[in-house]
PDB file of all heavy atoms in Angstrom:
ATOM      1  N   PHE A 384       8.221   6.232  50.929  1.00 96.00           N
ATOM      2  CA  PHE A 384       9.516   5.971  50.301  1.00 96.00           C
ATOM      3  C   PHE A 384      10.649   6.640  51.086  1.00 96.00           C
ATOM      4  O   PHE A 384      10.864   7.846  50.999  1.00 96.00           O
ATOM      5  CB  PHE A 384       9.493   6.476  48.859  1.00 96.00           C
ATOM      6  CG  PHE A 384      10.726   6.164  48.065  1.00 96.00           C
ATOM      7  CD1 PHE A 384      11.298   4.907  48.085  1.00 96.00           C
ATOM      8  CD2 PHE A 384      11.306   7.143  47.264  1.00 96.00           C
ATOM      9  CE1 PHE A 384      12.430   4.614  47.341  1.00 96.00           C
ATOM     10  CE2 PHE A 384      12.440   6.870  46.513  1.00 96.00           C
ATOM     11  CZ  PHE A 384      13.004   5.607  46.553  1.00 96.00           C
ATOM     12  N   THR A 385      11.340   5.839  51.886  1.00 97.00           N
ATOM     13  CA  THR A 385      12.500   6.313  52.639  1.00 97.00           C
ATOM     14  C   THR A 385      13.629   5.311  52.439  1.00 97.00           C
ATOM     15  O   THR A 385      13.420   4.207  51.933  1.00 97.00           O
ATOM     16  CB  THR A 385      12.181   6.404  54.148  1.00 97.00           C
ATOM     17  OG1 THR A 385      11.885   5.071  54.635  1.00 97.00           O
ATOM     18  CG2 THR A 385      10.999   7.322  54.416  1.00 97.00           C
ATOM     19  N   ALA A 386      14.832   5.699  52.859  1.00 97.00           N
ATOM     20  CA  ALA A 386      15.959   4.776  52.762  1.00 97.00           C
ATOM     21  C   ALA A 386      15.680   3.509  53.571  1.00 97.00           C
ATOM     22  O   ALA A 386      16.013   2.391  53.152  1.00 97.00           O
ATOM     23  CB  ALA A 386      17.232   5.452  53.251  1.00 97.00           C
ATOM     24  N   GLU A 387      15.044   3.662  54.717  1.00 97.00           N
ATOM     25  CA  GLU A 387      14.747   2.517  55.581  1.00 97.00           C
ATOM     26  C   GLU A 387      13.726   1.585  54.947  1.00 97.00           C
ATOM     27  O   GLU A 387      13.884   0.356  54.980  1.00 97.00           O
ATOM     28  CB  GLU A 387      14.239   2.996  56.945  1.00 97.00           C
ATOM     29  CG  GLU A 387      15.286   3.663  57.826  1.00 97.00           C
ATOM     30  CD  GLU A 387      15.672   5.064  57.346  1.00 97.00           C
ATOM     31  OE1 GLU A 387      14.883   5.683  56.575  1.00 97.00           O
ATOM     32  OE2 GLU A 387      16.754   5.529  57.728  1.00 97.00           O
ATOM     33  N   SER A 388      12.659   2.148  54.379  1.00 97.00           N
ATOM     34  CA  SER A 388      11.621   1.294  53.776  1.00 97.00           C
ATOM     35  C   SER A 388      12.174   0.551  52.565  1.00 97.00           C
ATOM     36  O   SER A 388      11.851  -0.627  52.350  1.00 97.00           O
ATOM     37  CB  SER A 388      10.400   2.137  53.378  1.00 97.00           C
ATOM     38  OG  SER A 388      10.715   3.060  52.348  1.00 97.00           O
ATOM     39  N   LEU A 389      13.004   1.221  51.781  1.00 97.00           N
ATOM     40  CA  LEU A 389      13.599   0.556  50.625  1.00 97.00           C
ATOM     41  C   LEU A 389      14.595  -0.505  51.071  1.00 97.00           C
ATOM     42  O   LEU A 389      14.648  -1.604  50.511  1.00 97.00           O
ATOM     43  CB  LEU A 389      14.279   1.588  49.722  1.00 97.00           C
ATOM     44  CG  LEU A 389      14.970   1.029  48.470  1.00 97.00           C
ATOM     45  CD1 LEU A 389      13.992   0.242  47.602  1.00 97.00           C
ATOM     46  CD2 LEU A 389      15.602   2.161  47.656  1.00 97.00           C
ATOM     47  N   TYR A 390      15.388  -0.199  52.086  1.00 97.00           N
ATOM     48  CA  TYR A 390      16.362  -1.166  52.612  1.00 97.00           C
ATOM     49  C   TYR A 390      15.662  -2.436  53.086  1.00 97.00           C
ATOM     50  O   TYR A 390      16.146  -3.560  52.833  1.00 97.00           O
ATOM     51  CB  TYR A 390      17.147  -0.533  53.762  1.00 97.00           C
ATOM     52  CG  TYR A 390      17.893  -1.535  54.610  1.00 97.00           C
ATOM     53  CD1 TYR A 390      19.018  -2.197  54.121  1.00 97.00           C
ATOM     54  CD2 TYR A 390      17.461  -1.832  55.907  1.00 97.00           C
ATOM     55  CE1 TYR A 390      19.695  -3.125  54.898  1.00 97.00           C
ATOM     56  CE2 TYR A 390      18.130  -2.746  56.694  1.00 97.00           C
ATOM     57  CZ  TYR A 390      19.247  -3.400  56.188  1.00 97.00           C
ATOM     58  OH  TYR A 390      19.905  -4.325  56.943  1.00 97.00           O
ATOM     59  N   ASN A 391      14.536  -2.288  53.748  1.00 96.00           N
ATOM     60  CA  ASN A 391      13.814  -3.447  54.254  1.00 96.00           C
ATOM     61  C   ASN A 391      13.359  -4.386  53.139  1.00 96.00           C
ATOM     62  O   ASN A 391      13.298  -5.611  53.324  1.00 96.00           O
ATOM     63  CB  ASN A 391      12.613  -3.005  55.091  1.00 96.00           C
ATOM     64  CG  ASN A 391      13.020  -2.421  56.421  1.00 96.00           C
ATOM     65  OD1 ASN A 391      14.055  -2.797  56.979  1.00 96.00           O
ATOM     66  ND2 ASN A 391      12.236  -1.481  56.941  1.00 96.00           N
ATOM     67  N   VAL A 392      13.032  -3.817  51.987  1.00 96.00           N
ATOM     68  CA  VAL A 392      12.658  -4.651  50.839  1.00 96.00           C
ATOM     69  C   VAL A 392      13.909  -5.214  50.174  1.00 96.00           C
ATOM     70  O   VAL A 392      13.969  -6.397  49.822  1.00 96.00           O
ATOM     71  CB  VAL A 392      11.823  -3.839  49.828  1.00 96.00           C
ATOM     72  CG1 VAL A 392      11.479  -4.701  48.609  1.00 96.00           C
ATOM     73  CG2 VAL A 392      10.556  -3.315  50.469  1.00 96.00           C
ATOM     74  N   LEU A 393      14.917  -4.371  50.012  1.00 95.00           N
ATOM     75  CA  LEU A 393      16.161  -4.790  49.352  1.00 95.00           C
ATOM     76  C   LEU A 393      16.815  -5.981  50.047  1.00 95.00           C
ATOM     77  O   LEU A 393      17.212  -6.957  49.395  1.00 95.00           O
ATOM     78  CB  LEU A 393      17.161  -3.630  49.327  1.00 95.00           C
ATOM     79  CG  LEU A 393      17.084  -2.631  48.187  1.00 95.00           C
ATOM     80  CD1 LEU A 393      18.069  -1.495  48.428  1.00 95.00           C
ATOM     81  CD2 LEU A 393      17.375  -3.306  46.863  1.00 95.00           C
ATOM     82  N   LYS A 394      16.947  -5.903  51.356  1.00 93.00           N
ATOM     83  CA  LYS A 394      17.676  -6.954  52.082  1.00 93.00           C
ATOM     84  C   LYS A 394      16.970  -8.297  51.951  1.00 93.00           C
ATOM     85  O   LYS A 394      17.605  -9.354  51.959  1.00 93.00           O
ATOM     86  CB  LYS A 394      17.855  -6.572  53.545  1.00 93.00           C
ATOM     87  CG  LYS A 394      16.583  -6.524  54.369  1.00 93.00           C
ATOM     88  CD  LYS A 394      16.885  -6.174  55.836  1.00 93.00           C
ATOM     89  CE  LYS A 394      15.619  -6.141  56.679  1.00 93.00           C
ATOM     90  NZ  LYS A 394      15.896  -5.799  58.090  1.00 93.00           N
ATOM     91  N   LYS A 395      15.656  -8.259  51.794  1.00 90.00           N
ATOM     92  CA  LYS A 395      14.883  -9.485  51.620  1.00 90.00           C
ATOM     93  C   LYS A 395      15.160 -10.117  50.255  1.00 90.00           C
ATOM     94  O   LYS A 395      15.223 -11.335  50.122  1.00 90.00           O
ATOM     95  CB  LYS A 395      13.395  -9.159  51.762  1.00 90.00           C
ATOM     96  CG  LYS A 395      12.456 -10.335  51.548  1.00 90.00           C
ATOM     97  CD  LYS A 395      11.021  -9.941  51.810  1.00 90.00           C
ATOM     98  CE  LYS A 395      10.534  -8.882  50.831  1.00 90.00           C
ATOM     99  NZ  LYS A 395       9.090  -8.579  51.030  1.00 90.00           N
ATOM    100  N   PHE A 396      15.382  -9.244  49.244  1.00 91.00           N
ATOM    101  CA  PHE A 396      15.591  -9.734  47.892  1.00 91.00           C
ATOM    102  C   PHE A 396      17.012 -10.229  47.641  1.00 91.00           C
ATOM    103  O   PHE A 396      17.221 -11.306  47.086  1.00 91.00           O
ATOM    104  CB  PHE A 396      15.259  -8.638  46.879  1.00 91.00           C
ATOM    105  CG  PHE A 396      13.790  -8.358  46.736  1.00 91.00           C
ATOM    106  CD1 PHE A 396      13.354  -7.262  46.018  1.00 91.00           C
ATOM    107  CD2 PHE A 396      12.841  -9.191  47.306  1.00 91.00           C
ATOM    108  CE1 PHE A 396      11.999  -6.997  45.871  1.00 91.00           C
ATOM    109  CE2 PHE A 396      11.483  -8.938  47.174  1.00 91.00           C
ATOM    110  CZ  PHE A 396      11.064  -7.838  46.450  1.00 91.00           C
ATOM    111  N   VAL A 397      17.993  -9.406  48.009  1.00 88.00           N
ATOM    112  CA  VAL A 397      19.365  -9.676  47.565  1.00 88.00           C
ATOM    113  C   VAL A 397      19.995 -10.899  48.217  1.00 88.00           C
ATOM    114  O   VAL A 397      21.019 -11.403  47.747  1.00 88.00           O
ATOM    115  CB  VAL A 397      20.281  -8.450  47.786  1.00 88.00           C
ATOM    116  CG1 VAL A 397      19.800  -7.275  46.959  1.00 88.00           C
ATOM    117  CG2 VAL A 397      20.352  -8.078  49.267  1.00 88.00           C
ATOM    118  N   ILE A 398      19.400 -11.399  49.297  1.00 81.00           N
ATOM    119  CA  ILE A 398      19.971 -12.580  49.941  1.00 81.00           C
ATOM    120  C   ILE A 398      19.195 -13.852  49.595  1.00 81.00           C
ATOM    121  O   ILE A 398      19.503 -14.924  50.089  1.00 81.00           O
ATOM    122  CB  ILE A 398      19.988 -12.424  51.484  1.00 81.00           C
ATOM    123  CG1 ILE A 398      18.557 -12.276  52.028  1.00 81.00           C
ATOM    124  CG2 ILE A 398      20.851 -11.245  51.902  1.00 81.00           C
ATOM    125  CD1 ILE A 398      18.467 -12.283  53.548  1.00 81.00           C
TER     126      ILE A 398
END
Side-chain angles (χ1 to χ4, degrees):
F384 185 46
T385 63
E387 290 73 20
S388 65
L389 179 57
Y390 164 71
N391 288 330
V392 178
L393 274 174
K394 68 178 181 180
K395 178 176 64 176
F396 287 170
V397 297
I398 62 173

